[in-house]
């Protein structure tokens, strides 16, 4: 109730001033449990850690920002609701994917107060080691999606230019890039975020499905099948023959989603002080777009950092 909420809030106000602080892209950033956040995000994380109780049937869609969250939400929602809706009746045609699957960050109060018992899929950007304890303790399944760090940086940067710097003075891309390489970015260091879920997926492959954006792009149908299996809702032979998988792939494709009226002109987070145009979640949806934005030198630097940090993990990005 309110009291627990106040307690958690007070706790976050006590913790924040004790943390390492650094200048970020648009505000001060704080290092908490090995990752960086601005104070608003961090308050939300501490609230979620103190108050959120997972149900064992919950399935979490986890990701670092800008690695394919919107797409994963769309695919998941389409897979989960395929017996109720098809590509001509799906809520995905009129609601943006973020409004189909709630997130711990944006929808925490709703999830705490009046959780829809039918909601089994939830999303978050919080790193594995900082997830509210009950998520792991209840044995919830997790899907994680990651992406080429260069494309991830560019995607974040382009998003930030449109949102963050509406209200504050923009910083040069070189400076933003430097902070990203230092790990000082929302939910950063990026490579640590990826590594946390990677290691956990090696330990518990039945609980954690680890995906890459680039592989999804290459063969979306294969991953739609894998996701359905992982969710315990495999496609029947009849469904496969009817082309249900291909229809989901098509409906959730960048081309289709980005051309829907809701995603072209609609807005997200209308009940907050920061509504965001839905179209900002659909920019290009390409692999290798970093080439248009980073110099070879920048790209090489980031690749080297990530390669070194991932060395010995069995993962390459
Ligand atoms: P770009 O900025 O490179 O275009 P997130 O959903 O985690 O915020 O990530 C956003 C990135 O995913 C953006 O990348 C966006 O264009 C891309 N994206 C959104 N919907 C997609 C889809 N249906 N298929 C592929 N990529 C998609």
């Amino acid at each position: 109730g309110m009291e627990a909420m106040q307690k958690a809030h007070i706790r976050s106000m006590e913790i924040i001033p004790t943390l390492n602080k650094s200048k970020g892209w648009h505000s001060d950033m704080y290092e908490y449990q090995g990752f960086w956040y601005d104070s608003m995000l961090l308050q939300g994380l501490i609230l979620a850690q103190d108050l959120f109780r997972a149900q064992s049937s919950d399935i979490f869609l986890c990701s670092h920002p800008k690695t394919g969250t919107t797409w994963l939400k769309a695919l998941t929602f389409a897979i989960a609701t395929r017996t109720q809706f098809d590509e001509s009746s799906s809520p995905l045609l009129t609601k943006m994917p973020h409004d189909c699957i709630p997130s711990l960050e944006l929808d925490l109060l709703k999830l705490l107060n009046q959780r829809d018992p039918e909601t089994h899929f939830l999303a978050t950007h919080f790193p594995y080691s900082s997830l509210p304890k009950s998520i792991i303790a209840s044995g919830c399944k997790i899907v994680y999606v990651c992406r080429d760090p260069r494309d991830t940086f560019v995607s974040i940067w382009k998003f930030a230019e449109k949102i963050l710097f509406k209200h504050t003075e923009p910083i040069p891309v070189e400076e933003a890039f430097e902070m990203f390489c230092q790990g000082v970015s929302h939910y950063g260091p990026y490579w640590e975020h990826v590594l946390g879920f990677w290691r956990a997926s090696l330990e518990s492959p039945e609980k954690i499905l680890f995906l890459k954006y680039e592989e999804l792009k290459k063969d979306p149908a294969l991953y739609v099948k894998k996701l359905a299996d992982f969710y315990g809702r495999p496609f029947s032979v009849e469904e496969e023959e009817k082309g249900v998988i291909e229809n989901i792939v098509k409906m959730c494709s960048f081309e289709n989603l980005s051309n829907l009226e809701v995603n072209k002109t609609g807005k997200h987070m209308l009940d907050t002080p920061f509504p965001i145009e839905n179209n900002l979640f659909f920019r290009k949806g390409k692999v290798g777009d970093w080439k248009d934005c980073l110099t070879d030198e920048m790209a090489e630097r980031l690749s080297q950092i990530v390669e070194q940090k991932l060395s010995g993990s069995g993962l390459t990005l």
Side-chain angles (χ1 to χ4, degrees):
M2 280 306 283
E3 212 172 294
M5 193 98 74
Q6 269 165 4
K7 252 175 134 175
H9 185 67
I10 290 170
R11 202 169 81 82
S12 74
M13 300 309 278
E14 285 169 356
I15 291 175
I16 291 175
T18 68
L19 302 173
N20 284 337
K21 185 168 130 176
S22 183
K23 185 177 168 300
W25 290 10
H26 71 114
S27 61
D28 284 337
M29 303 284 280
Y30 299 88
E31 189 184 25
Y32 176 70
Q33 300 178 338
F35 292 85
W36 291 88
Y37 311 90
D38 67 21
S39 62
M40 215 171 77
L41 257 182
L42 185 47
Q43 276 181 37
L45 171 54
I46 293 170
L47 231 61
Q49 288 182 332
D50 283 3
L51 304 175
F52 180 76
R53 300 285 172 270
Q55 299 163 8
S56 59
S57 54
D58 290 344
I59 299 181
F60 276 84
L61 309 183
C62 296
S63 58
H64 185 280
K66 301 293 135 199
T67 59
T69 319
T70 313
W71 192 14
L72 180 60
K73 281 186 174 183
L75 291 170
T76 296
F77 187 82
I79 292 167
T81 61
R82 69 187 191 262
T83 55
Q84 290 155 268
F85 309 110
D86 64 17
E87 63 285 359
S88 63
S89 62
S90 175
L92 282 167
L93 303 175
T94 51
K95 284 204 303 192
M96 78 121 26
H98 291 287
D99 292 328
C100 294
I101 295 189
S103 88
L104 273 188
E105 280 90 330
L106 294 176
D107 305 299
L108 183 65
L109 296 187
K110 249 178 276 162
L111 290 170
L112 293 176
N113 293 328
Q114 31 167 310
R115 183 158 172 196
D116 175 356
E118 296 295 302
T119 305
H120 295 297
F121 289 99
L122 300 164
T124 183
H125 293 313
F126 292 133
Y128 184 78
S129 51
S130 290
L131 288 176
K133 291 278 170 291
S134 64
I135 295 176
I136 314 294
S138 323
C140 297
K141 286 186 182 173
I142 293 175
V143 180
Y144 184 74
V145 62
C146 67
R147 188 180 189 188
D148 183 320
R150 298 164 297 187
D151 285 336
T152 304
F153 170 80
V154 169
S155 187
I156 300 172
W157 176 248
K158 298 286 178 185
F159 191 71
E161 282 188 320
K162 297 243 167 62
I163 301 188
L164 297 179
F165 304 145
K166 243 197 238 169
H167 310 287
T168 54
E169 191 64 24
I171 60 168
V173 64
E174 292 78 15
E175 205 178 306
F177 182 75
E178 192 50 39
M179 290 181 200
F180 190 78
C181 289
Q182 302 286 342
V184 184
S185 56
H186 291 108
Y187 305 93
Y190 176 60
W191 46 90
E192 293 301 336
H193 199 282
V194 178
L195 271 175
F197 285 94
W198 171 248
R199 293 197 185 107
S201 77
L202 293 181
E203 263 169 45
S204 323
E206 70 295 346
K207 289 286 179 208
I208 304 183
L209 180 65
F210 188 94
L211 305 175
K212 290 180 177 171
Y213 181 90
E214 294 75 20
E215 288 178 3
L216 246 78
K217 275 293 243 193
K218 243 187 259 166
D219 192 352
L222 174 72
Y223 287 94
V224 164
K225 259 205 231 180
K226 274 194 207 269
L227 283 167
D229 290 344
F230 185 71
Y231 297 149
R233 307 272 314 277
F235 291 98
S236 65
V237 176
E238 201 195 355
E239 282 182 308
E240 293 211 23
E241 284 171 359
K242 275 200 320 205
V244 175
I245 297 176
E246 285 73 20
N247 289 341
I248 289 177
V249 167
K250 250 188 256 162
M251 179 170 71
C252 298
S253 69
F254 181 86
E255 291 65 33
N256 189 57
L257 290 184
S258 63
N259 280 309
L260 295 172
E261 203 50 43
V262 59
N263 295 327
K264 281 204 287 203
T265 58
K267 281 194 179 170
H268 178 55
M269 308 202 311
L270 278 173
D271 52 348
T272 75
F274 316 105
I276 300 181
E277 288 87 358
N278 291 345
N279 65 42
L280 298 187
F281 289 93
F282 304 92
R283 195 179 63 91
K284 286 189 177 173
K286 292 223 165 77
V287 172
D289 184 52
W290 61 266
K291 294 187 186 93
D292 287 345
C293 186
L294 300 182
T295 63
D296 287 349
E297 203 183 2
M298 289 161 98
E300 189 53 33
R301 163 122 199 270
L302 182 55
S303 294
Q304 269 181 16
I305 291 173
V306 174
E307 199 183 303
Q308 193 215 333
K309 300 286 182 180
L310 297 190
S311 76
S313 71
L315 177 68
T316 51
L317 278 181

